[in-house]
Amino acid sequence: MPKLTRRGFLATTGAAIGVRGVAPLARSGSGRRILTLVYDKSLGMMRAVERVVH
């Protein structure tokens, strides 16, 4: 298991909270979903960012 620094923990927690907040909006069906891969320096790896465009 990789070591999580404070910065990495905050980034992971923020991403998880963001996903939970956006989920109801994404289920509404209106708009287009855009998935983008970005390199997160704090995690040291790629992560997916999903946006809903109306």
Side-chain angles (χ1 to χ4, degrees), residues 16-26:
I17 291 171
V19 167
R20 292 181 67 98
V22 171
L25 179 63

Side-chain angles (χ1 to χ4, degrees), residues 10-53:
L10 291 175
T12 304
T13 305
I17 291 171
V19 167
R20 292 181 67 98
V22 171
L25 179 63
R27 274 189 243 127
S28 66
S30 63
R32 199 169 78 184
R33 295 164 65 179
I34 299 175
L35 183 68
T36 308
L37 291 176
V38 296
Y39 184 76
D40 192 337
K41 289 182 182 179
S42 63
L43 294 175
M45 57 192 258
M46 298 292 285
R47 70 179 177 97
V49 176
E50 187 175 14
R51 293 184 297 150
V52 178
V53 179

